[in-house]
Amino acid sequence: MGTLARGNLLGKYSARLVARCVQAHRIGYATDAKFEHLKTGPSLQHFLADPPKEPIYIASRAENVPYVPQEVLKGQKRKVFFEVYGCQMNTNDTEIVWSILKAHDYRRTVLLKDADVVLLMTCAIREGAEDTVWNRLKHLRLAKSKRETDEKPMLLGVLGCMAERLKQRLVEKEQSVDVVAGPDAYKDLPRLLAIGQKGQKAVNVLLSLDETYADVVPVKLDRKSKTAYVSIMRGCDNMCTYCIVPFTRGKERSRPLSSISEEVLKLASEGIREVTLLGQNVNSYRDTSTTGPSDPKDASLLAPGFRTVYKTKVGGLRFAELLSELAETVPDVRIRFTSPHPKDFPRDVLETIAKYPNVCSSLHLPAQSGSTTVLERMRRGYSREAYLSLATEVRKLIPNVTLTSDFICGFCGETEAEFADTISLIEQVGYHAAFLFAYSMREKTTAHRRYSDDVPEEIKQERLLRMIAAFRREAKRLNEEFVGRTELVLVEGYSKRSRADLAGRNDGNVKVIVPAGPIASCRQSPSNDWLRSVGVGDYIAVRITAANSQILKGEPLYHTSITEFYSNNG
């Protein structure tokens, strides 16, 4: 509180105290027995201290939601600044939040100094991700303190998984935080911000069994990009022992296929050339809003050798049917998806990916460990052998597929022999990209209750370095196999290192660098007279000339489309 404001407040309290003392003397409080209890009441020091803080508002399922006039929910053109941490789902969630706030008369700014509202979309999957946010909040506290005397003070909000995990502890530990909203409470943000605007802290971290935001059309944060994220399901039922996601994102629920198809069609009409379908367990998608032709037999729903901790879910339209619908609806838009679970790759899903040229031949197969005993402690639902069998089946059914994965080293009780199994799996399968991490214990998880985080940190870090080295060796070898091939590349913009080069990605989601400049307008161009410049969102054919563990380099040949390229190169 500012000095001037504190002085005014103390003046008011002092004046009230003096007035009450004078009144007490006049009517004989000191001698009247019925007012004896006032002798133990507040002293002058109580009034000189900071006034009591407003209680924190915490949304409850049992409450009668207080009436808030519609005009109070309006943002009155207040400017919102977003910071996004974590996965693609958080980017999509931010676009959902922006859609909601934009409809309530908020404006967006990309300059922190102009912001009236600062919202951090957070990740809680690892301790390091949370530490980054805590450190950022300290810096934002200073920015907020400079605005205390303004008519429109800065509001600071924490959204997403970290909000769900820590709840009111966020506003208690970092008192500059005004609003906390979990992944299922974004529609309540206008009300929470209105409460915050009145000086009271507001928290809503209620999880939902049915909220999918299917009725909210996300507003893209990057209008220049020709790629987009589309959320198709939320939550996770797998309950892996190391994972916090089921506790921060809730149970699985899927959007109706019709609403997904409508969103993808709209994006295509706006010039989007690639969509990435999102979900915590994206390939467990199951639309139960209408009767679908899915076979309810357990054998058809899971990859062979995989199991779940929950009962078989029967009925509904499945992931293979969603992919088929979208592939045929937008044949010249690339379709990717993340993040899947290996168990949800039955044969029909793999055959669907192989069938449609616009469904990318790039699969994320998160292994987490190469040791069957560690996988059992992680409660992953498969053995090393089942995973290897699936990888073999994938490469058999999908020609030229690229595989990516997640690995954790140093999980509870991991021995050197168990870790060696992870290194050998990386070498045996081979991945074009991988997300590699040292284990970080998270509260609320089964591992936190059942196991001890007993692998020393120095051993975790040493194992992490060995994983990285093994991965890079195999990635370099796999990328070198592209040399000499002609690849379809979607141009995303200039290379980060030089504006003389353009960067894009091939079907396998490997980054490709090519020289900028005009190229043939089509495959049949008769001469150099038919040249056309290359821009963001263009599909071009590229002959790969060089490779390392991270990128490919190539020679751009001509403009094309998905349908045309694969009809000529299929």
Side-chain angles (χ1 to χ4, degrees), residues 196-211:
Q197 203 65 40
K198 298 298 182 182
Q200 185 178 8
K201 298 181 184 299
V203 177
N204 186 346
V205 289
L206 297 176
L207 288 174
S208 170
L209 292 175
D210 52 19
E211 180 61 82

Side-chain angles (χ1 to χ4, degrees), residues 350-365:
L350 301 179
E351 289 175 343
T352 300
I353 294 168
K355 176 181 177 181
Y356 294 100
N358 60 327
V359 178
C360 291
S361 300
S362 172
L363 267 64
H364 189 58
L365 292 180

Side-chain angles (χ1 to χ4, degrees), residues 397-453:
L397 293 177
I398 307 174
N400 299 320
V401 68
T402 60
L403 299 181
T404 61
S405 193
D406 299 340
F407 285 95
I408 297 171
C409 66
F411 184 67
C412 307
E414 184 185 65
T415 65
E416 181 61 31
E418 289 171 330
F419 175 70
D421 285 342
T422 294
I423 295 296
S424 68
L425 185 74
I426 293 173
E427 294 171 340
Q428 187 170 345
V429 177
Y431 302 96
H432 286 80
F435 301 94
L436 311 172
F437 303 102
Y439 175 63
S440 173
M441 177 76 83
R442 312 309 289 139
E443 293 180 21
K444 291 188 178 181
T445 61
T446 301
H448 186 259
R449 298 193 306 271
R450 185 178 296 177
Y451 302 130
S452 173
D453 187 8

Side-chain angles (χ1 to χ4, degrees), residues 262-283:
E262 288 173 8
E263 183 176 345
V264 171
L265 267 174
K266 181 177 183 294
L267 290 169
S269 69
E270 294 170 351
I272 294 299
R273 311 304 301 278
E274 177 182 294
V275 295
T276 301
L277 309 179
L278 299 178
Q280 272 74 41
N281 186 176
V282 67
N283 53 340

